[in-house]
Amino acid sequence: MSNTFFKSTGRIEIDDNKVQEVELVNARELAKLLSVSERTLYRLKSTGELPSPIVLGGSVRWRLSEIRQWISKGCPRPVKPK
Protein backbone atom coordinates (compact mmCIF):
# COMPACT_ATOMS: atom_id res chain seq x y z
CA MET A 1 0.00 0.00 0.00
CA SER A 2 1.49 3.32 -1.04
CA ASN A 3 1.34 6.21 1.41
CA THR A 4 2.40 8.91 -1.02
CA PHE A 5 -0.73 10.99 -0.48
CA PHE A 6 -0.31 11.11 3.31
CA LYS A 7 1.42 14.37 4.12
CA SER A 8 0.54 15.16 7.73
CA THR A 9 2.93 14.23 10.50
CA GLY A 10 2.58 15.16 14.14
CA ARG A 11 4.85 14.97 17.14
CA ILE A 12 3.56 13.59 20.41
CA GLU A 13 5.55 14.03 23.61
CA ILE A 14 6.04 10.70 25.38
CA ASP A 15 8.12 12.04 28.28
CA ASP A 16 10.91 14.57 28.83
CA ASN A 17 13.47 12.70 26.71
CA LYS A 18 11.44 10.99 23.96
CA VAL A 19 9.33 12.26 21.09
CA GLN A 20 7.32 9.94 18.85
CA GLU A 21 6.44 10.78 15.25
CA VAL A 22 2.79 10.08 14.41
CA GLU A 23 1.34 10.02 10.90
CA LEU A 24 -1.99 11.81 10.77
CA VAL A 25 -4.48 11.80 7.89
CA ASN A 26 -7.27 14.24 7.14
CA ALA A 27 -10.76 13.36 5.94
CA ARG A 28 -9.89 13.55 2.25
CA GLU A 29 -6.89 11.26 2.67
CA LEU A 30 -8.79 8.79 4.83
CA ALA A 31 -11.75 8.71 2.44
CA LYS A 32 -9.34 7.92 -0.40
CA LEU A 33 -7.69 5.16 1.65
CA LEU A 34 -11.08 3.61 2.45
CA SER A 35 -12.46 4.16 -1.09
CA VAL A 36 -15.48 6.08 0.19
CA SER A 37 -16.70 9.64 -0.23
CA GLU A 38 -15.92 12.27 2.40
CA ARG A 39 -19.65 12.42 3.15
CA THR A 40 -19.70 8.67 3.86
CA LEU A 41 -16.60 9.05 6.01
CA TYR A 42 -18.28 11.71 8.17
CA ARG A 43 -21.40 9.56 8.38
CA LEU A 44 -19.28 6.65 9.66
CA LYS A 45 -17.64 9.02 12.14
CA SER A 46 -20.97 10.32 13.42
CA THR A 47 -22.35 6.81 13.94
CA GLY A 48 -19.22 5.71 15.81
CA GLU A 49 -18.11 3.20 13.17
CA LEU A 50 -14.62 4.72 12.80
CA PRO A 51 -11.87 5.04 15.38
CA SER A 52 -12.06 8.42 17.09
CA PRO A 53 -10.16 11.25 15.43
CA ILE A 54 -7.96 13.89 17.01
CA VAL A 55 -9.52 17.36 16.90
CA LEU A 56 -7.08 20.28 17.00
CA GLY A 57 -8.91 23.56 16.81
CA GLY A 58 -10.97 23.20 13.64
CA SER A 59 -8.83 20.39 12.19
CA VAL A 60 -9.88 16.75 12.35
CA ARG A 61 -7.18 14.11 11.88
CA TRP A 62 -6.97 10.35 12.36
CA ARG A 63 -3.88 8.43 13.47
CA LEU A 64 -2.81 6.35 10.48
CA SER A 65 -1.51 3.58 12.76
CA GLU A 66 -4.96 3.24 14.42
CA ILE A 67 -6.70 3.18 11.04
CA ARG A 68 -4.36 0.48 9.72
CA GLN A 69 -4.91 -1.60 12.86
CA TRP A 70 -8.69 -1.11 12.57
CA ILE A 71 -8.60 -2.25 8.91
CA SER A 72 -6.44 -5.30 9.72
CA LYS A 73 -9.02 -6.35 12.33
CA GLY A 74 -11.81 -6.21 9.76
CA CYS A 75 -13.14 -2.71 10.55
CA PRO A 76 -14.98 -3.57 13.77
CA ARG A 77 -17.16 -0.96 15.42
CA PRO A 78 -15.03 0.54 18.22
CA VAL A 79 -16.19 -0.37 21.72
CA LYS A 80 -17.11 2.66 23.80
CA PRO A 81 -16.47 2.49 27.53
CA LYS A 82 -19.58 2.40 29.71
Side-chain angles (χ1 to χ4, degrees):
M1 178 185 332
S2 174
N3 294 334
T4 56
F5 59 92
F6 298 122
K7 301 175 188 137
S8 305
T9 302
R11 296 174 70 96
I12 295 180
E13 292 286 333
I14 301 300
D15 59 37
D16 293 335
N17 300 320
K18 296 180 183 177
V19 174
Q20 180 180 357
E21 293 287 326
V22 177
E23 284 184 282
L24 303 173
V25 293
N26 63 27
R28 181 180 304 154
E29 294 165 339
L30 183 55
K32 185 174 179 181
L33 176 68
L34 299 176
S35 299
V36 299
S37 69
E38 285 185 57
R39 174 71 182 109
T40 297
L41 180 77
Y42 280 110
R43 190 177 302 119
L44 292 170
K45 176 186 170 287
S46 70
T47 60
E49 296 183 56
L50 283 175
S52 298
I54 299 170
V55 180
L56 302 168
S59 298
V60 178
R61 301 287 186 269
W62 285 265
R63 291 176 188 92
L64 186 55
S65 60
E66 286 183 8
I67 296 299
R68 285 183 174 150
Q69 187 177 35
W70 177 71
I71 291 170
S72 71
K73 291 180 179 179
C75 305
R77 177 172 279 183
V79 177
K80 294 187 179 188
K82 293 181 180 183

